[in-house]
Amino acid sequence: MFVIYKVFFILYMINKHLLKRLAGASLGDAVGWAELARACAPRAACRARRKRKHGSPRGAMAAGGLSRLERKAAERVRRLREEQQRERLRQVSRILRKAAAERSAEEGRLLAESEDLVTELQGRSRRREGLKRRLEEVCDDPEELRRKVRELAGAVRNAKYLVVYTGAGISTAASIPDYRGPNGVWTLLQKGRSVSTADLSEAEPTLTHMCIARLHEQKLVQHVVSQNCDGLHLRSGLPRTAISELHGNMYIEVCTSCVPNREYVRVFDVTERTALHRHQTGRACHKCGSQLRDTIVHFGERGMLGQPLNWEAATEAASKADTILCLGSSLKVRTDNMVSEQSEQVSACPELSGSVSDSACYSCALCVCCICPFPQVLKKYPRLWCMTKPPSQRPKLYIVNLQWTPKDDWAALKLHGKCDDVMQLLMDELGLEIPLYSRWQDPIFSLATPLRAGEEGIHSRKSLCRSREEGPPGDCGDPLSSAPILGGWFGRGCTKRTKRKKVT
């Protein structure tokens, strides 16, 4: 029994030892497998995700899924769609950038145009203000005017060859309106106002006309260049050779068929039937029987007559002059468009015929200035202003005018005053007496050629008479005061003739 017990005890101990070793081994293996599982968990998870995403090839094939080629094709389609979307986005971006650039350019253009418009409006406003200032009449105070007249008197005394240029301003005292003054023809027409008429048969040479005649008599003035057509220089007693009436004389008609041209001085306005490019007066030459024509130079015409325009004497006098005195001339002309527009207004007003002392032909070099719109005139007649001479050798310029003139900056002296007032002070400074005008001594009556028999009723203009009490010479009858006066050197003749189209 003891032996059996011992055997069982030994077996028990052996089993117990073996069980302990087996238990230890099993626990270590479990820990190792746990660590291995923990290390392989990310790879298994990644594999599981890949399987979930793509599936097992065999399972996909078994379940009717896509093959590898189909998956590549699908991937390519997806990439193409993404590329197309990106290209569309790029195109839309380009279109938006282009539209933004165009909009910016348009805004810049509109801004530039608005700035140009504002600048133009400001320029027009400044020019308008400048024109208003130029049209305004400025008078020097009496002390300043006397000081300037003393300086002018010294220039007249020291001048070796003095030439006088005269404009419409010297005839306003004779109730003949000028062009550009506050009550001038152009000024009133632009304002839409009517222009008062003036009976030129009642007009007489003014104090300025008589002063110029006396200065020429005293050999202080060598030549007179006039823009006026009123003939008052001739009637003041100034010799014909000492006058250049660049726009003609309303009392003179000529025969251009005779060589030299035969002149006929009349005591009435000879321009009743004349107009632009139509200068026939309706009377015939006493010698050859040809039609007589007036001497007026209208707008758009060039004066070619020797007398009374006397261009040769005017240019010769200007070339010799060391002093030029401008009296009552604006020294400027209108542009062609303004001339046309205002001429139509003048022609529409029959009361204007024979009422203004300046025909203002734009072909006259006396009217041109540094801003003249007809530069070819200045080139053709540069001698009137001695433009061909160096500035140091040009004659000294003295201007008497109430308004601005383009040559004020060139002038050695500018006197703002009326011509009669300035000439009165000048004659007092020179110690010369001003002669009085007398109709009984008016040279026009001694120079005039009487009408022939049958010509008395040809004209209806009032004739000059030696005294205001006596009637007009000849059997002319009373003027047709009720009938509108058309034509003449400031009537219908101012309008431009319409150009005929050539028939091809």
Side-chain angles (χ1 to χ4, degrees):
M1 285 297 291
F2 179 77
V3 175
I4 296 171
Y5 176 77
K6 269 302 205 188
V7 171
F8 278 101
F9 179 80
I10 293 171
L11 291 173
Y12 170 74
M13 292 301 291
I14 293 172
N15 289 334
K16 185 178 179 180
H17 182 71
L18 289 175
L19 288 173
K20 285 184 179 180
R21 291 183 63 182
L22 290 173
S26 298
L27 181 61
D29 293 338
V31 173
W33 282 106
E35 291 178 357
L36 180 61
R38 193 181 300 113
C40 295
R43 187 178 298 175
C46 181
R47 189 181 296 111
R49 286 196 300 270
R50 189 181 295 113
K51 286 182 179 181
R52 285 196 303 269
K53 182 175 181 181
H54 300 289
S56 177
R58 294 181 180 179
M61 293 294 292
L66 298 176
S67 65
R68 181 179 296 178
L69 295 176
E70 290 175 340
R71 286 198 305 274
K72 289 183 178 180
E75 181 67 18
R76 187 176 300 173
V77 170
R78 183 180 62 79
R79 291 177 180 176
L80 288 175
R81 287 178 180 175
E82 291 177 356
E83 184 66 27
Q84 289 177 356
Q85 290 178 357
R86 285 194 293 269
E87 182 64 26
R88 289 176 182 174
L89 289 176
R90 286 194 292 268
Q91 291 179 358
V92 171
S93 178
R94 285 196 298 269
I95 292 173
L96 291 177
R97 287 197 298 270
K98 184 177 180 181
E102 291 178 353
R103 182 177 180 181
S104 177
E106 183 69 15
E107 290 177 354
R109 186 182 63 81
L110 293 176
L111 181 60
E113 288 182 356
S114 63
E115 292 177 353
D116 294 341
L117 182 60
V118 170
T119 304
E120 183 179 357
L121 292 176
Q122 292 176 350
R124 288 184 180 180
S125 178
R126 288 193 296 269
R127 288 193 296 270
R128 189 179 297 109
E129 293 298 326
L131 289 175
K132 288 182 179 179
R133 288 194 298 269
R134 292 177 182 182
L135 290 175
E136 292 177 354
E137 292 186 345
V138 180
C139 295
D140 292 329
D141 59 83
E143 290 298 328
E144 179 70 12
L145 187 61
R146 279 193 287 271
R147 183 192 66 79
K148 290 183 177 181
V149 170
R150 284 195 293 271
E151 182 178 348
L152 176 61
V156 172
R157 290 193 191 98
N158 298 327
K160 297 180 181 179
Y161 202 98
L162 174 61
V163 179
V164 178
Y165 291 172
T166 62
I170 69 170
S171 298
T172 54
S175 300
I176 302 176
D178 58 4
Y179 269 84
R180 302 173 181 92
N183 297 319
V185 174
W186 294 145
T187 306
L188 295 179
L189 287 177
Q190 284 181 338
K191 294 179 179 179
R193 296 165 57 184
S194 60
V195 180
S196 60
T197 59
D199 188 356
L200 292 185
S201 64
E202 298 297 329
E204 295 179 350
T206 64
L207 181 143
T208 301
H209 289 93
M210 302 307 297
C211 290
I212 294 173
R214 174 53 58 90
L215 291 174
H216 180 268
E217 180 183 346
Q218 296 296 320
K219 300 187 184 305
L220 294 175
V221 171
Q222 277 66 39
H223 198 78
V224 177
V225 181
S226 176
Q227 298 172 244
N228 301 335
C229 303
D230 49 32
L232 295 182
H233 278 301
L234 175 64
R235 297 176 59 188
S236 68
L238 203 62
R240 295 291 307 280
T241 56
I243 317 172
S244 293
E245 296 174 297
L246 303 184
H247 295 153
N249 190 316
M250 58 178 288
Y251 294 110
I252 299 177
E253 53 187 350
V254 298
C255 175
T256 55
S257 298
C258 294
V259 181
N261 295 344
R262 184 178 296 272
E263 294 183 10
Y264 293 88
V265 180
R266 308 295 188 181
V267 293
F268 57 89
D269 183 5
V270 302
T271 66
E272 180 180 1
R273 299 184 179 185
T274 62
L276 178 69
H277 302 309
R278 291 188 291 109
H279 296 274
Q280 305 268 334
T281 62
R283 286 171 289 275
C285 176
H286 296 182
K287 182 178 180 181
C288 66
S290 300
Q291 287 290 321
L292 299 179
R293 56 155 295 169
D294 67 2
T295 60
I296 305 302
V297 181
H298 293 289
F299 290 113
E301 296 179 342
R302 293 186 179 273
M304 304 300 294
L305 295 174
Q307 286 289 345
L309 309 185
N310 201 8
W311 271 105
E312 293 184 0
T315 54
E316 182 181 358
S319 64
K320 296 179 181 179
D322 64 339
T323 305
I324 295 177
L325 175 60
C326 295
L327 299 173
S329 174
S330 63
L331 305 180
K332 59 185 176 181
V333 292
R334 296 284 179 174
T335 62
D336 195 45
N337 293 334
M338 297 177 68
V339 165
S340 301
E341 178 182 355
Q342 292 168 339
S343 298
E344 293 176 0
Q345 293 175 324
V346 170
S347 63
C349 178
E351 298 177 353
L352 291 178
S353 177
S355 62
V356 183
S357 61
D358 183 5
S359 68
C361 163
Y362 67 70
S363 65
C364 170
L366 178 59
C367 305
V368 299
C369 58
C370 55
I371 58 172
C372 178
F374 306 100
Q376 70 276 11
V377 179
L378 190 61
K379 293 179 181 178
K380 187 170 183 179
Y381 300 114
R383 297 180 184 176
L384 286 184
W385 296 109
C386 305
M387 298 299 296
T388 56
K389 296 182 180 180
S392 59
Q393 299 180 8
R394 294 174 188 172
K396 293 183 179 180
L397 180 62
Y398 295 83
I399 300 175
V400 179
N401 203 306
L402 291 171
Q403 295 176 311
W404 172 91
T405 71
K407 293 192 179 294
D408 286 352
D409 295 336
W410 293 9
L413 182 65
K414 171 68 181 296
L415 295 86
H416 296 92
K418 294 183 178 180
C419 293
D420 284 0
D421 297 340
V422 172
M423 295 305 292
Q424 177 72 60
L425 295 174
L426 178 62
M427 298 298 282
D428 293 341
E429 287 290 333
L430 295 175
L432 298 177
E433 182 181 356
I434 302 174
L436 298 176
Y437 170 75
S438 173
R439 287 209 173 197
W440 290 97
Q441 298 176 357
D442 195 325
I444 195 169
F445 295 106
S446 60
L447 295 174
T449 302
L451 296 174
R452 293 189 300 180
E455 293 181 340
E456 292 82 359
I458 292 179
H459 73 94
S460 61
R461 299 291 173 87
K462 187 177 180 179
S463 300
L464 298 174
C465 52
R466 288 187 178 273
S467 65
R468 299 181 183 276
E469 290 77 13
E470 68 175 295
D475 187 16
C476 298
D478 295 332
L480 302 178
S481 57
S482 59
I485 301 176
L486 298 175
W489 60 275
F490 198 77
R492 190 172 49 202
C494 286
T495 58
K496 289 182 175 295
R497 184 173 59 183
T498 56
K499 295 183 179 180
R500 295 181 180 180
K501 296 182 178 180
K502 295 182 179 181
V503 179
T504 56

